Amino acid sequence: MRGFSELLDALIFSPRRNVKLAHLAGWLRQTPHPDRGWGLAALTGDLRFAHVKAGVVRELAAEVSSPELFALSYDFVGDLAETVALLWPSEPQPGEEAEDLRLAEIVTRLNAIPRAEVKGVLAGWMDRLNVAERWALLKLATGGMRVGVSGRLARTALAEAFEKDVGEIEEVWPLLSSPYDALFDWLEGRSGRPQAEGRAVFRPMMLAHPADDGLAENFTPDDWQVEWKWDGARIQFVSAEDGVRLFSRTGDDISASFPELVQDMAWKGVLDGEILSGTPQKIGSFNDLQQRLNRKRVTSRMQQEFPVFIRAYDILLAGEADLRNLPLSQRRQRLEAEMAAIDTGWLDISECLAATDFDQLVKIKEQSDPRIEGIMLKKRDSLYIAGRPKGGWVKLKRDPKQADLVMLYAQRGHGKRSSFYSDFTFGAWRDGDNGAELVPVCKAYSGFSDAELKKLDKFVRDHTLNRFGPVREVEQKLVVEIAFDQLHPSRRHKSGIAMRFPRFHAIRWDKHPEEADTVEQLRQFMTRDNS
Amino acid sequence: MDWVKIDKKGLSVLPAGAHIDPLSACQTALITHGHADHARPGHQQVIATPETLAIMAARYGDDFAVIKTPLGYGETMQLGDVQIGMAPSGHILGSAQIILEHNQTRLIAAGDYKRKADPTCAPFEIVACDIFITEATFGLPVFRHPDPQAEIKRLLKVAGLFPERSILIGAYALGKAQRVISLLRAAGYNAPVYLHGAMQNLCDLYQAHGVELGELRPASISERGKPSKELQGAIILAPPSAMHTSWARRLTDPLLVFASGWMQVRQRAKQRGVEFPLILSDHADWDDLLATIEEINPREVWVTHGREDALIHACQTRGISARALSLIGYDEAME
């Protein structure tokens, strides 16, 4: 635990990726097995204890101080586990070095005990630990480390620590389960590489870069494949001997949400594509797709009411043949050929667009269907490389829509922004019973700089009208230009609209609230979009 | 109790015709200590400890006030209908609790204070009183400042891991900087400590008042070219505002340290963009705030600024009546 909590602190405070990598690689080399495996699982979100609920931290909280003092402390610290760790009454005395608590001991014990014993066991351990270790223990037990370690970073650190290619580690990762005995056996030369052949497991995906300024100059039409960027969800479709599965971009198995797409089929292989609502002939909205995403069970009525289909744009495996080391131009040919062999109504192929120059591309993306987010540019000679390789795929998003809205409420952030008012609610005008009134239309908490955040925080503190727990109502005077992707009708919101991905575009300190937009003006965005 | 009131300038002592740490220019100012938010220039008369007057002169020039009246620890004077005295508050060099007596009532404005040992200033003195006016910068039970020597040892251990990096410590130029240096010396660190230009003046003043800081050198980094080899592996002190400037970027891969009580809270440290949070405070932590109030055992506690809600709650559960003055304008970023 001592080494692990020091690692966590080093990871939290290291701003640079390569410093984080060095800390992590060093820890992986020095820590004995299986502690290193459990630690790795905790860092990558792969460690869960069925009997430990997040509520146990609240139960511990009740023991460390009065409810009033705890509430004030939590409001300031912004993190429940950290608040409990700081408030924990006993501290090991310096010099009295207790025997270190091993991760393996924690994992074994927490897996073995019934729920009723969890609190007591954690409390017993807390008494032996210092404040940083107490925090680490609570995070480990309840999941959700949030120390800035992505799965990718952890795998890169593994590659660095054991001198392997990170692509190889990515490839075997879905085959593993904590504490990764098979992985370390392979990394340390005691056995061969775990094999994925014939198994319906996730293959690491290739991701796109946002377009940069250089693109306009470097765009040569013959070298690029151009496609629409559809407003759906990226998926990987895998059909293998042991089943058919659907994975999200991050490798989560989302088959249960889409039972109609994972029926056994004769065709075997791996496709990369987008899941969209509706049918290939009539595409639905993202709002409809959301009715299906993140559901553990889907009724047949839901399947009929909100049909979905897959629009494929790449092929990774055909049968046993791995196509990832072929250039895109050849994969595309193969995709077209294989698609002919798959006879199903819920799968089609992403259309390739013709463009003669960059200016034309920019025009295309703006004139497009509202269900299109922009366009994708893919180098015809690019291999399918996991991660975000340079010079591979580029996404060119259409310009966002904007509205001038008035700040109504502010709430303090959690995590990094725990002491700042950083989550804001904005309103637009409408005619109410007593004249014009502002009605909430969206919440936004991104798109501003740290310097702007400070000014926003000061504005909130200086213009508070009312406090409702953590929320402050502010004077209706600050206008912010909010950018957003889409508007949808909504019965849940008072204003009757729901905004997709609202974020700050510019803070208009200069504008008067009377100049802000009306709900009616926003509605026009919606009718234009959905027509 | 109606002779001490809050007005626009802060805490007003009516029968003395004076303000304590006034926020804007006034006739007579009683100053607890030299931090810029408490000691402002432009008053007609300033009454403060000789050290605080020296600090104000060093910062604002000799004409910071028309009349300068030194009042040392343990001394008293009469101002209008009020007897005024000074007692050390342990915050920084010259910091004082201001003791006011009028109509058989004794009131103490403690200013900012701490109870932990600090060789750069006189230790806090317990003085009995009816009304104790306390700060509450760290008035939450999550704040239990660790042992300062242990923190410095932790820093020196990490510094040893990166012999090629400059250790850049952000510390407020008055008080915190000198405390960090004196802690380094106490931990046996004898190499020269390098100072950002804004630090020199006040370090000289401390040394002139007999505070031993060892060898100090200017951290001169030329506008162009590489920083001198001398600064690699060296400890450099700079005001927090200089930590993310082009000046700091010219150092070789600096390890950013920030010395503050706020560093106790992880996300606060993260906001500061520091790689090493050094938990070191010149304010009383939660346990010390409560211990001080219990020792003094006043009839009433008034809380000037900080996280007053928790402290007032804790006083009330101990049967001590307490209220918030909610003074604004005192800057906590300096801690």
Side-chain angles (χ1 to χ4, degrees), chain A residues 69, chain B residues 113 115 141 284-296 310-315 318 320:
Chain A
L69 291 179
Chain B
Y113 64 96
R115 305 298 303 275
D285 65 6
W286 175 254
D287 292 346
D288 284 344
L289 286 170
L290 291 182
T292 305
I293 290 167
E294 280 175 6
E295 272 181 81
I296 294 175
L311 189 60
I312 286 168
H313 175 84
C315 285
R318 283 164 175 74
I320 298 171

Side-chain angles (χ1 to χ4, degrees), chain A residues 224-478:
Chain A
W224 296 84
Q225 176 174 312
V226 182
E227 296 166 63
W228 294 122
K229 185 178 185 332
W230 292 94
D231 189 15
R234 179 93 181 267
I235 51 92
Q236 184 176 91
F237 177 80
V238 185
S239 172
E241 294 305 329
D242 68 345
V244 178
R245 294 219 176 93
L246 205 58
F247 295 99
S248 74
R249 199 174 69 96
T250 46
D252 296 321
D253 189 337
I254 54 168
S255 310
S257 306
F258 305 100
E260 71 268 48
L261 306 185
V262 291
Q263 304 294 321
D264 274 343
M265 57 158 51
W267 186 83
K268 306 290 176 217
V270 177
L271 298 173
D272 188 349
E274 196 88 3
I275 190 161
L276 293 163
S277 71
T279 63
Q281 292 73 36
K282 189 171 189 311
I283 302 176
S285 70
F286 186 81
N287 225 24
D288 287 350
L289 180 62
Q290 270 188 322
Q291 309 301 315
R292 298 290 307 272
L293 288 168
N294 304 319
R295 273 185 195 275
K296 289 205 180 91
R297 270 189 61 245
V298 179
T299 61
S300 52
R301 213 185 113 206
M302 292 225 59
Q303 294 179 36
Q304 279 171 8
E305 200 176 339
F306 301 105
V308 291
F309 72 101
I310 291 172
R311 181 151 283 177
Y313 37 66
D314 211 330
I315 183 163
L316 284 67
L317 267 73
E320 297 284 286
D322 194 335
L323 311 176
R324 284 174 288 181
N325 284 321
L326 299 177
L328 173 63
S329 51
Q330 288 182 39
R331 295 203 307 276
R332 175 77 196 187
Q333 280 176 7
R334 186 67 182 262
L335 176 66
E336 287 168 10
E338 295 286 331
M339 289 295 286
I342 311 171
D343 181 25
T344 163
W346 48 258
L347 187 65
D348 80 346
I349 188 164
S350 165
E351 172 195 2
C352 289
L353 310 173
T356 49
D357 59 45
F358 189 77
D359 292 340
Q360 194 199 356
L361 279 182
V362 173
K363 268 186 215 136
I364 293 179
K365 91 176 155 75
E366 291 308 326
Q367 285 164 4
S368 55
D369 187 299
R371 280 156 296 216
I372 286 168
E373 280 188 326
I375 50 180
M376 293 295 304
L377 303 171
K378 300 173 182 173
K379 265 290 194 45
R380 287 189 204 278
D381 61 0
S382 61
L383 311 182
Y384 195 98
I385 299 168
R388 229 179 277 272
K390 283 209 178 76
W393 294 2
V394 179
K395 56 187 168 193
L396 197 57
K397 281 199 165 191
R398 67 194 313 188
D399 293 333
K401 303 172 179 71
Q402 282 168 17
D404 286 345
L405 302 173
V406 182
M407 186 188 287
L408 300 178
Y409 303 98
Q411 187 163 5
R412 250 195 280 183
H414 275 75
K416 187 183 167 194
R417 291 161 162 183
S418 60
S419 67
F420 288 102
Y421 285 89
S422 62
D423 299 6
F424 308 100
T425 303
F426 292 95
W429 292 104
R430 73 165 180 196
D431 289 326
D433 298 335
N434 303 311
E437 61 176 12
L438 284 161
V439 53
V441 292
C442 72
K443 278 189 173 185
Y445 36 84
S446 63
F448 40 77
S449 66
D450 286 355
E452 283 173 328
L453 175 57
K454 274 194 186 163
K455 285 173 88 174
L456 288 166
D457 180 70
K458 186 169 176 356
F459 172 85
V460 171
R461 289 171 196 276
D462 292 349
H463 297 90
T464 299
L465 292 179
N466 274 308
R467 296 179 196 206
F468 310 99
V471 178
R472 289 192 182 203
E473 181 184 2
V474 298
E475 276 178 62
Q476 300 177 345
K477 62 183 293 182
L478 181 61

Side-chain angles (χ1 to χ4, degrees), chain A residues 491-503:
Chain A
R491 266 167 303 179
R492 234 185 311 166
H493 296 84
K494 211 169 160 189
S495 59
I497 48 180
M499 213 177 255
R500 180 128 194 263
F501 191 28
R503 65 268 189 195

Side-chain angles (χ1 to χ4, degrees), chain B residues 51-71:
Chain B
E51 296 87 350
T52 298
L53 293 176
I55 288 166
M56 291 179 79
R59 301 194 121 179
Y60 304 129
D62 279 328
D63 57 352
F64 68 89
V66 180
I67 307 164
K68 287 155 263 185
T69 311
L71 187 64

Side-chain angles (χ1 to χ4, degrees), chain A residues 62-239:
Chain A
E63 307 214 330
V64 293
S65 75
S66 70
E68 293 87 355
L69 291 179
F70 189 87
L72 290 164
S73 297
Y74 177 41
D75 186 43
F76 181 84
V77 174
D79 179 284
L80 192 64
E82 189 174 0
T83 312
V84 173
L86 286 165
L87 289 173
W88 197 256
S90 62
E91 183 86 5
Q93 294 307 307
E96 276 180 30
E97 293 284 288
E99 197 192 329
D100 193 21
L101 179 62
R102 288 189 57 173
L103 292 186
E105 184 191 335
I106 296 171
V107 173
T108 314
R109 193 84 191 277
L110 287 180
N111 275 326
I113 55 175
R115 187 171 174 189
E117 286 176 30
V118 168
K119 189 179 115 187
V121 167
L122 285 176
W125 283 329
M126 298 272 279
D127 288 338
R128 287 167 57 184
L129 303 172
N130 69 29
V131 61
E133 294 163 351
R134 293 196 291 265
W135 177 79
L137 172 67
L138 292 176
K139 290 288 175 183
L140 181 90
T142 57
M145 285 280 173
R146 293 213 198 158
V147 291
V149 176
S150 62
R152 174 79 184 171
L153 187 86
R155 295 189 279 276
T156 310
L158 276 166
E160 204 166 278
F162 297 95
E163 295 171 355
K164 288 275 187 213
D165 177 59
V166 64
E168 277 189 282
I169 294 177
E170 290 283 2
E171 187 75 21
V172 303
W173 193 259
L175 302 166
L176 307 168
S177 56
S178 51
Y180 316 109
D181 297 337
L183 172 74
F184 288 103
D185 282 348
W186 165 56
L187 292 174
E188 290 173 332
R190 288 185 295 276
S191 69
R193 193 179 114 173
Q195 295 300 316
E197 274 77 32
R199 297 186 52 190
V201 292
F202 178 70
R203 307 305 195 285
M205 276 190 176
M206 181 156 174
L207 305 173
H209 287 275
D212 60 23
D213 298 341
L215 184 66
E217 287 157 37
N218 296 330
F219 182 74
T220 43
D222 290 347
D223 298 332
W224 296 84
Q225 176 174 312
V226 182
E227 296 166 63
W228 294 122
K229 185 178 185 332
W230 292 94
D231 189 15
R234 179 93 181 267
I235 51 92
Q236 184 176 91
F237 177 80
V238 185
S239 172

